Amino acid sequence: MCEPPSHQALIRKLRELEDRLENLQKTEKALKSTYEIINRSPAVVFLWRDAPGWPVVLVSENVETIFGYSPSDFRDDHLSYAAIIHPDDIERVSAEVATHSADPLSHEFFHQPYRLITTSGETRWVEDRTVIGRDADGTITHYEGIVIDITDCCNAQQALVQSQQEWETTFAAMADWVCLVDLRRRILRTNAAGETFTGVAVDDLRGRTCCELLHTAACAIDNCPMERMLETGRRENGDFFNPEKQRWLRVTVDPVTDGNGHVMSAVHIVRDITDMKKVEQERLKAEKLKTVGILAGGIAHDFNNLLSVILGNLELAAHCGTVAPEIASHLKKAETAAGQARELTRNLMLFARGSAPAKRQCDLRELIAKIVAHGVADNNLRCELELPDDLWSSEIDPEQMQLALANLLSNAREAMPAGGTVTVAARNVHLETPAISSGIRLAPGRFVRIDVRDQGTGIAPHVLPHIFDPYFSTKSKGVQKGMGLGLAITSSIVEKHGGHIGIDTRENGGTTFSVYLPARRAKAPAAGAAAVVPSTAGRAQRILVMDDEPMILDLCRQMLEMQGYRIEMAEDGPTAVDKYRDAMRVQDPFHAVILDLAVKGGIGGLQVIAKLVEIDPDVKAIVCSGYSDDPVMTDCTRYGFAAALTKPYTREGLVAAVASVLKANRP
């Protein structure tokens, strides 16, 4: 019989069991802690059988948090692992498992990323590390897998790839030439625009230097932005003119530094700024013209007053009884020269100050015929008119448009010094779309096109870009020629009418100027006959004249008294208002008043008319000024005046203005 274990043996056995129990508890605690860590991680642990579909034997509970499935969904082969793999990836995953399983030395492997389908139908990307379980004979018993959700990482990588593709596409499509250059200015990388700028194929640009391609050997190192960037360590740029292509280029150089701030290479950006330079030149030109306008405006008033006195007194002298023929001839020449000075001042003001047109609906056929009749007075010159009966009318300033077309006729006449034919043709045009490609910068609509064609030698290519520039002329200098304002004024007038002027010229093939004016279908109202007022019509009528220049007052008085009017004069606004009020009180009112618009240091015509309207709502006033482009002059009725008279005026113009106002007074 076996002897019962001794007391000491039982105690040892008990202690061994207690140690084993303690170790098991520690192991259980560690396993529990590990299991909790796994369930909190993005990794799901699977145990699959080596059977079709890979039935799930065990899965960690975090499968529900990550993929939406509960562990119970996989029990009793209800749901296999293969069933949740994306249909487009199952074939690849199966092939990877088969390949590694067939290798007896393979114990673990990584799958290429593949997709799983969650319970909500969402697709998630996973990375799978699989361990192959084998028995002693090497037969596969199961697979153990750690499946990690890498969807966010894949999305970020995909976004990075897409961003890189977008940048590559943008880089290739940029109109600016962008390249990476080393410190010796050799091109390391370039976009396709480099071929456009240099004429060298993109593949042949690498290794070439920027100076060689852009500036040739004449590159000024002192002005090289690359050189300055190496000195300053910051962005530098410079503008260069390429004489071969006749283009302006702006070169910008940005440093590329390492972690210590040392310049390793540079980004070289080249932009074509030719159009910007042209805009800048136009801006500078406009500023110069504005300066000229300010200067012209400053002297216009005084100069026109002086011209009024000169012209007026010349007219009076010519009508003062019998004048010897020699004196009459001198007076006529002086009057002609003064008239030319008036036109010169008017043209300069018209262009420099940008006079707003006083538009009214006009019959263009009648206007063109009138201009041609007066503008072509040369025995060597013939003029052919092509004016259809159904030509649309247009709202224009007749005086300004007459000047514009007269300038074109003068240009045609000077283009044919030996004589020839000028053709003036007009036709209705309906622009369906903006014809920018044809150089016509107009919105769609109805227009009247007026062509002035000559048979001259045409305009040279180097002259053509400057023909509308102010003060540009190929003619000799002088009073009558070479001022360089004719075409510039014409262009300004047409543009202010909402139109466009274009040119078609061929060397030795003549030139055609085409003017487009906004049109109206309605016929223009028939022009009424000009009122003719005999000199005896106003003998008993009183006229009040206000002007701050005594010579103008005296001249105006003499001109009107020759027509039989009774004249009162006032040198300032308050005096004019007092005289008008006194005349109303004694029942000997003024039939009309002539008010100077601008009075130095005093109340001008605009303020005076407001006070006179308070006294007499029916007051008939004529505004007078040397500023022909002032809004009051171009739209006088809006400000309470009945007519406008531009200085310097002639006796005929003054009398006609007064007559028109007095006629309006009649019942």
Side-chain angles (χ1 to χ4, degrees):
M1 293 181 63
C2 294
E3 293 184 3
S6 65
H7 180 71
Q8 289 80 6
L10 288 175
I11 291 175
R12 284 198 305 271
K13 190 66 175 178
L14 180 61
R15 287 177 177 173
E16 289 176 358
L17 290 174
E18 287 177 348
D19 290 341
R20 289 183 61 187
L21 178 61
E22 184 179 357
N23 289 334
L24 287 173
Q25 288 176 341
K26 289 180 178 180
T27 301
E28 180 184 10
K29 185 177 180 181
L31 287 173
K32 185 176 180 181
S33 176
T34 301
Y35 196 62
E36 289 176 352
I37 291 173
I38 291 174
N39 286 330
R40 290 196 301 268
S41 75
V44 180
V45 178
F46 279 94
L47 183 66
W48 307 291
R49 293 203 309 271
D50 182 23
W54 306 308
V56 178
V57 177
L58 177 68
V59 61
S60 57
E61 293 182 358
N62 62 342
V63 69
E64 185 169 3
T65 304
I66 298 175
F67 299 118
Y69 301 100
S70 67
S72 61
D73 292 336
F74 296 97
R75 291 174 188 161
D76 302 326
D77 296 339
H78 178 68
L79 183 66
S80 68
Y81 187 75
I84 67 173
I85 297 177
H86 195 283
D88 293 342
D89 295 341
I90 186 64
E91 184 176 349
R92 174 171 59 82
V93 174
S94 299
E96 290 173 356
V97 173
T99 298
H100 290 282
S101 298
D103 182 2
L105 300 179
S106 177
H107 296 287
E108 63 178 295
F109 61 92
F110 284 94
H111 283 283
Q112 294 296 320
Y114 60 90
R115 291 164 290 179
L116 295 182
I117 307 298
T118 67
T119 54
S120 64
E122 182 186 2
T123 299
R124 307 292 293 180
W125 282 93
V126 298
E127 188 177 74
D128 177 0
R129 179 184 180 183
T130 298
V131 177
I132 304 174
R134 301 177 186 270
D135 59 15
D137 297 330
T139 302
I140 297 176
T141 58
H142 64 278
Y143 298 97
E144 301 169 4
I146 299 176
V147 180
I148 301 176
D149 187 338
I150 60 170
T151 303
D152 292 341
C153 180
C154 287
N155 290 341
Q157 186 176 6
Q158 184 177 2
L160 181 62
V161 171
Q162 182 177 354
S163 176
Q164 184 175 358
Q165 290 175 342
E166 291 174 350
W167 164 242
E168 292 289 347
T169 302
T170 303
F171 180 69
M174 289 177 67
D176 293 346
W177 178 23
V178 183
C179 56
L180 183 68
V181 299
D182 63 18
L183 298 186
R184 289 190 290 177
R185 300 177 179 80
R186 293 177 305 183
I187 296 173
L188 305 176
R189 187 181 180 192
T190 177
N191 66 344
E195 184 170 346
T196 303
F197 278 82
T198 64
V200 179
V202 173
D203 293 338
D204 296 332
L205 287 173
R206 298 181 183 89
R208 305 279 292 272
T209 65
C210 52
C211 278
E212 169 195 357
L213 294 165
L214 281 181
H215 321 305
T216 69
C219 175
I221 297 300
D222 292 341
N223 194 35
C224 177
M226 181 75 176
E227 191 73 17
R228 297 201 308 272
M229 183 277 294
L230 292 175
E231 294 177 359
T232 63
R234 61 175 182 266
R235 169 180 287 191
E236 297 289 347
N237 56 64
D239 294 348
F240 300 91
F241 182 71
N242 188 319
E244 294 181 1
K245 295 181 180 273
Q246 291 292 301
R247 310 295 290 175
W248 276 97
L249 304 176
R250 173 162 294 170
V251 180
T252 302
V253 180
D254 284 288
V256 178
T257 59
D258 59 13
N260 297 320
H262 298 130
V263 178
M264 305 298 294
S265 57
V267 176
H268 200 268
I269 303 174
V270 182
R271 172 170 294 180
D272 189 328
I273 59 169
T274 305
D275 291 340
M276 187 177 74
K277 284 285 187 180
K278 289 181 179 178
V279 171
E280 178 66 13
Q281 289 171 359
E282 290 298 321
R283 185 186 66 80
L284 292 175
K285 185 188 297 182
E287 290 182 356
K288 291 179 181 178
L289 292 177
K290 184 178 179 181
T291 302
V292 172
I294 294 173
L295 176 62
I299 66 174
H301 186 266
D302 291 343
F303 188 62
N304 281 330
N305 279 343
L306 293 173
L307 280 177
S308 295
V309 174
I310 293 171
L311 278 170
N313 281 287
L314 286 172
E315 282 191 278
L316 291 176
H319 289 81
C320 288
T322 303
V323 180
E326 302 85 16
I327 297 177
S329 175
H330 292 317
L331 290 175
K332 186 63 177 177
K333 290 178 181 178
E335 186 177 349
T336 301
Q340 291 173 354
R342 176 180 60 186
E343 287 301 310
L344 179 59
T345 305
R346 174 176 172 271
N347 289 349
L348 181 61
M349 288 291 295
L350 180 63
F351 181 77
R353 293 178 60 89
S355 177
K359 297 180 183 179
R360 60 182 175 85
Q361 191 175 352
C362 292
D363 185 338
L364 289 176
R365 293 179 76 255
E366 181 180 335
L367 180 68
I368 293 171
K370 177 182 177 182
I371 295 171
V372 170
H374 289 83
V376 182
D378 194 319
N379 294 331
N380 295 328
L381 205 64
R382 293 179 58 253
C383 186
E384 295 181 355
L385 285 177
E386 298 176 6
L387 306 176
D389 294 336
D390 62 346
L391 190 67
W392 293 331
S393 62
S394 180
E395 285 192 350
I396 60 173
D397 182 323
E399 186 178 1
Q400 288 192 12
M401 196 53 59
Q402 181 172 345
L403 174 61
L405 296 180
N407 285 337
L408 294 182
L409 286 173
S410 175
N411 192 78
R413 182 170 57 251
E414 292 171 357
M416 300 183 294
T421 300
V422 178
T423 303
V424 180
R427 58 189 174 94
N428 300 327
V429 175
H430 197 164
L431 297 180
E432 299 291 345
T433 57
I436 297 176
S437 60
S438 303
I440 303 174
R441 300 181 298 275
L442 294 173
R446 294 189 296 271
F447 296 87
V448 174
R449 172 175 167 170
I450 305 171
D451 292 336
V452 179
R453 295 192 295 268
D454 64 51
Q455 297 175 325
T457 58
I459 300 174
H462 70 280
V463 173
L464 190 59
H466 306 287
I467 59 171
F468 294 116
D469 290 351
Y471 317 118
F472 175 82
S473 177
T474 59
K475 301 188 291 290
S476 59
K477 304 299 180 181
V479 176
Q480 296 296 327
K481 294 184 177 183
M483 294 307 299
L485 284 174
L487 291 179
I489 291 172
T490 298
S491 176
S492 177
I493 290 173
V494 172
E495 288 182 4
K496 285 175 174 56
H497 279 76
H500 170 81
I501 183 168
I503 182 172
D504 180 21
T505 184
R506 295 176 179 84
E507 205 160 352
N508 298 319
T511 299
T512 300
F513 284 92
S514 298
V515 174
Y516 291 79
L517 296 174
R520 295 177 58 118
R521 287 188 181 275
K523 291 288 291 181
V532 179
V533 180
S535 61
T536 57
R539 291 190 183 278
Q541 293 171 310
R542 299 185 71 206
I543 310 295
L544 174 62
V545 182
M546 182 203 81
D547 200 295
D548 59 341
E549 290 290 343
M551 289 188 295
I552 295 289
L553 280 177
D554 186 61
L555 176 67
C556 188
R557 176 188 62 76
Q558 293 184 61
M559 288 180 171
L560 292 177
E561 285 182 347
M562 289 179 66
Q563 296 299 117
Y565 297 109
R566 291 187 293 154
I567 307 302
E568 284 285 337
M569 298 183 295
E571 293 188 1
D572 54 53
T575 302
V577 173
D578 291 342
K579 288 192 174 186
Y580 196 93
R581 183 184 293 110
D582 293 341
M584 292 287 291
R585 187 175 59 253
V586 298
Q587 297 184 354
D588 188 14
F590 291 104
H591 296 84
V593 294
I594 301 174
L595 302 176
D596 188 18
L597 182 61
V599 174
K600 295 177 182 178
I603 297 176
L606 192 59
Q607 293 80 11
V608 172
I609 188 63
K611 296 181 179 296
L612 295 185
V613 169
E614 294 177 0
I615 300 171
D616 178 12
D618 296 324
V619 61
K620 300 297 181 183
I622 300 171
V623 61
C624 185
S625 176
Y627 299 110
S628 60
D629 60 337
D630 191 284
V632 179
M633 297 294 291
T634 58
D635 192 11
C636 63
T637 57
R638 180 181 176 184
Y639 297 91
F641 294 97
L645 185 62
T646 302
K647 295 180 181 179
Y649 50 78
T650 62
R651 184 173 64 91
E652 181 183 359
L654 173 63
V655 171
V658 173
S660 66
V661 170
L662 295 179
K663 180 182 177 183
N665 278 335
R666 299 175 184 175

